[in-house]
Amino acid sequence: MTPGKNVVNAIIITVVFAVGGCMTTRIEETKNVSTGIKKGEAVVILASSYHATNPAEDSFIECLSDAVIGGRTGLNVHPASEFKDALFPWLEPRTAPTGVDGLPELLKRPGVHERVRERDIRYIIWIEGDTERKSGGGSLSCAAGPGAAACFGLAWWENLSSYEATIWDLDDGVASGKVSTSVNGTSVVPALIIPLPFIARTQAAACNGLSKQLRSFIVETG
Amino acid sequence: MFITGCARSVTVLSDFPEPVVEPLPLAIGIRYPAELAEYVHVEDPMMDAEWTIRLGEANMKMFRVLFASMFDEIVELEGTAAGEGAEGVDAIIEPRLEELEFTVPRQSGNDQYTVWLRYNLRILSPEGKLIGDWRITAYGQEDEGSMGTGAEDSMKEAAITALRDVAASIIIGFTSAPGVQTLLPPKQAPENDQAG
């Protein structure tokens, strides 16, 4: 490798790390009432109804359910599909309560309270939000010939992952509060012969941030 | 040959949960038309491959679980004549699937497979006289599989969600459906929604 090429590669690596650090996370929490969870009690995480809001992607719900289980203060997460089946049809997109005002009506339906108690579900966590591409640009072109291929240019794009969790306490029939996260990140792919993708995984960061905040929201009393 | 190779086929199979409802004090005869049990939708939409969606078996499973939970007594009627075999029932229900529509991500420009179903529930007296004609529209959607794979699975899940939506619609709307209030005992009649 020539000294000139070394310099160019060093510049690219510097740019990549500089831009790659550009992922910003914001987490907000609003607690209305005291929380806490007893041993054996569980939470269930559901995407909000698409009739009323912007429900989170299935992949985000799966990520969040897995992440909330982990850690020292991990929560017991009841499978969402089993819970929806057990309360069928009262958590379908058409029938699910769209606000905490609908919670007493749900719980007083014949058989519903019993099924919630049997599963020891303390909290329902409704998730809405999504990940969307805000902007992008640049140019990257590749060419291949006999025995050789190369790419040149630079492409970038900016993603915003924004999610909100609304927590309902089924014991007290109240909205405990909300936790929201917003992660903005820029991905860059510079290429000088070899493309070097540097992807800002905003959805994964949002999942990680929201899960930590949810755990502390529920576990920490007060 | 190329188009045949790209054709997509989905057989919707699913179990449906038993609804959490209090059964209405009615004995109902259910007549399932053959078209419902053998329902197949074939469509060749613009910008996508030809789709064949077989919904017959899932239709039957959904309605059987639903009606068994909704009413005190259910009798499946075999014949096709208006009141045939309906002695002792309070009414007859004939569910029909009139229309299935769908969109794929290439058409809608988002990442969703969507399915709409339009059913007609004909409610008849035991003698076969029409007392109510109720149209129900249901909807289901499912995220596109990652990297464009799993199109059939996504369409199947959207159809299952739509079938669950049909069941939910029937449960919450049955007691106020056309003609139904005349069948209900006085304590049920003023309710807007099904007791569940």
Side-chain angles (χ1 to χ4, degrees), chain A residues 37-44 46 75-88 91 107 111-124 170-171, chain B residues 17-20:
Chain A
I37 192 163
K38 295 182 194 130
K39 192 176 179 184
E41 289 182 331
V43 304
V44 63
L46 302 171
L75 301 174
N76 184 14
V77 179
H78 192 86
S81 58
E82 196 282 336
F83 189 63
K84 286 174 74 179
D85 282 357
L87 267 59
F88 184 74
L91 294 177
L107 292 174
V112 169
H113 187 72
E114 291 77 5
R115 294 191 179 204
V116 170
R117 285 286 94 212
E118 283 166 16
R119 286 157 183 81
D120 231 346
I121 307 296
R122 174 70 187 276
Y123 295 100
I124 293 182
L170 297 184
D171 262 11
Chain B
E18 189 180 314
V20 191

Side-chain angles (χ1 to χ4, degrees), chain B residues 93-108:
Chain B
I93 295 178
E94 281 184 5
R96 293 173 187 275
L97 176 49
E98 293 185 329
E99 196 170 357
L100 183 156
E101 291 180 29
F102 67 84
T103 63
V104 299
R106 278 186 198 174
Q107 293 172 295
S108 56

Side-chain angles (χ1 to χ4, degrees), chain B residues 62-78:
Chain B
M62 185 271 290
F63 278 117
R64 282 183 170 136
V65 171
L66 173 68
F67 290 142
S69 299
M70 280 181 67
F71 305 111
D72 269 352
E73 191 182 339
I74 288 295
V75 181
E76 282 197 23
L77 306 177
E78 299 291 335

Side-chain angles (χ1 to χ4, degrees), chain A residues 26 30 56 176 183 202 211 213:
Chain A
R26 199 181 74 218
T30 311
S176 302
V183 180
T202 57
S211 68
Q213 197 65 22

Side-chain angles (χ1 to χ4, degrees), chain A residues 63-79:
Chain A
C63 173
L64 191 63
S65 298
D66 291 344
V68 161
I69 292 169
R72 191 172 51 82
T73 56
L75 301 174
N76 184 14
V77 179
H78 192 86

Side-chain angles (χ1 to χ4, degrees), chain B residues 32-125:
Chain B
Y32 294 109
E35 312 88 73
L36 184 80
E38 296 157 10
Y39 190 89
V40 179
H41 178 82
V42 181
E43 186 176 335
D44 192 0
M46 287 179 67
M47 305 165 68
D48 204 63
E50 181 181 277
W51 281 85
T52 301
I53 301 173
R54 293 179 179 81
L55 204 66
E57 192 174 335
N59 264 330
M60 296 299 290
K61 279 193 169 182
M62 185 271 290
F63 278 117
R64 282 183 170 136
V65 171
L66 173 68
F67 290 142
S69 299
M70 280 181 67
F71 305 111
D72 269 352
E73 191 182 339
I74 288 295
V75 181
E76 282 197 23
L77 306 177
E78 299 291 335
T80 54
E84 188 182 344
E87 299 80 17
V89 302
D90 296 306
I92 300 168
I93 295 178
E94 281 184 5
R96 293 173 187 275
L97 176 49
E98 293 185 329
E99 196 170 357
L100 183 156
E101 291 180 29
F102 67 84
T103 63
V104 299
R106 278 186 198 174
Q107 293 172 295
S108 56
N110 59 28
D111 61 353
Q112 299 287 324
Y113 285 82
T114 58
V115 171
W116 288 266
L117 301 172
R118 198 178 78 214
Y119 285 86
N120 178 14
L121 256 61
R122 297 181 75 227
I123 300 159
L124 308 150
S125 70

